[in-house]
Amino acid sequence: MVIRMKIIKVTLAGISDILYHATKTPLLLDILKEDKLRMTADFGSEPDKSQMQKSKKFRPYFMSFSRIKFGGYSRTINPELLTIIELDGTKLKQKYAGAPVDYWGPSYRDIETRDTEQRMKYNENEDRLFSDHPFLEPLSKYIKSIHVILQPEFAKLKTDKDNMTKDEQDLAYNQAEKYKEIKRAATVHTLPVYFYTN
């Protein structure tokens, strides 16, 4: 006897086991030193209201994360200033409630009218974490790794220093100091940091 089943609806619950948070590299040092992320207050925009109605309990703060490393919001940040923090969603859901959110809706990903880059920017692949408190802390408890794109002047310092102006070299050395500070701050929390040239 063959039993056939028809899937009527797939419902995603909770947050993913691995999450990503995109930020600008200049902000990373403060995030590591303070060991927290500031959540967003829920002011109830129209897309937010429809998502909040699905939540059993309203919480006044939320934080958006992505289920993919490089998509949605992270693609709106200048790549030369991009840092992506990988978080442990399994640990986060032990303390926080969360749910997937399709903020923009499918119309923004219309294959006929948008190119791949546009669709990736509007497809947030978003998981939203809800909280009664304005900060996610201690953040280091949930971080798995940190990924930093090196600014081009610093990368050039390593490969083509002789063809750089003094101003470019000064900027590159300042960037080098920032990267060292980031590495030290991450080491305090025993967090792995990876640096990329592109």
Side-chain angles (χ1 to χ4, degrees):
M1 181 167 90
V2 176
I3 298 174
R4 295 184 181 182
M5 298 175 66
K6 183 177 179 184
I7 298 173
I8 305 296
K9 183 179 179 183
V10 175
T11 303
L12 299 174
I15 55 177
S16 302
D17 291 344
I18 302 291
L19 297 170
Y20 300 95
H21 175 72
T23 189
K24 294 180 180 176
T25 304
L27 302 176
L28 177 61
L29 193 57
D30 289 335
I31 290 171
L32 290 173
K33 286 181 176 178
E34 295 173 6
D35 200 15
K36 63 185 177 183
L37 279 176
R38 180 184 297 276
M39 297 219 181
T40 301
D42 176 30
F43 294 115
S45 67
E46 286 308 314
D48 289 336
K49 284 178 184 174
S50 65
Q51 297 300 330
M52 295 310 114
Q53 287 168 2
K54 297 175 187 175
S55 178
K56 291 179 181 176
K57 177 187 173 189
F58 173 76
R59 293 172 178 85
Y61 301 98
F62 70 88
M63 174 64 65
S64 292
F65 298 101
S66 178
R67 293 186 294 277
I68 59 174
K69 191 173 185 182
F70 187 54
Y73 175 74
S74 61
R75 287 178 177 252
T76 68
I77 297 176
N78 178 348
E80 296 171 8
L81 298 174
L82 178 63
T83 286
I84 296 176
I85 302 171
E86 180 186 9
L87 295 113
D88 189 331
T90 304
K91 283 185 182 177
L92 282 166
K93 58 187 160 189
Q94 290 172 3
K95 181 175 179 181
Y96 297 98
V101 173
D102 189 0
Y103 186 88
W104 293 104
S107 61
Y108 279 85
R109 295 185 298 282
D110 188 316
I111 294 172
E112 304 278 327
T113 59
R114 296 186 184 272
D115 62 29
T116 301
E117 182 65 20
Q118 285 178 311
R119 287 198 307 277
M120 288 301 290
K121 281 182 179 178
Y122 286 117
N123 189 355
E124 295 284 349
N125 292 280
E126 180 182 355
D127 276 356
R128 191 170 286 191
L129 183 145
F130 307 115
S131 178
D132 294 319
H133 306 286
F135 295 101
L136 173 54
E137 57 184 333
L139 183 63
S140 57
K141 175 181 175 182
Y142 304 106
I143 295 178
K144 291 176 71 71
S145 60
I146 300 167
H147 304 266
V148 181
I149 303 281
L150 296 170
Q151 291 180 268
E153 295 83 7
F154 175 80
K156 192 175 179 183
L157 186 65
K158 297 288 187 184
T159 59
D160 198 18
K161 181 181 175 182
D162 294 339
N163 292 321
M164 295 176 72
T165 67
K166 184 180 183 316
D167 286 345
E168 286 177 327
Q169 287 186 24
D170 289 344
L171 179 58
Y173 284 119
N174 285 338
Q175 291 166 358
E177 286 306 311
K178 285 290 180 193
Y179 298 139
K180 286 178 187 174
E181 285 186 72
I182 287 169
K183 183 68 176 168
R184 282 193 292 266
T187 301
V188 167
H189 301 294
T190 62
L191 300 173
V193 184
Y194 302 96
F195 296 95
Y196 303 84
T197 54
N198 60 50

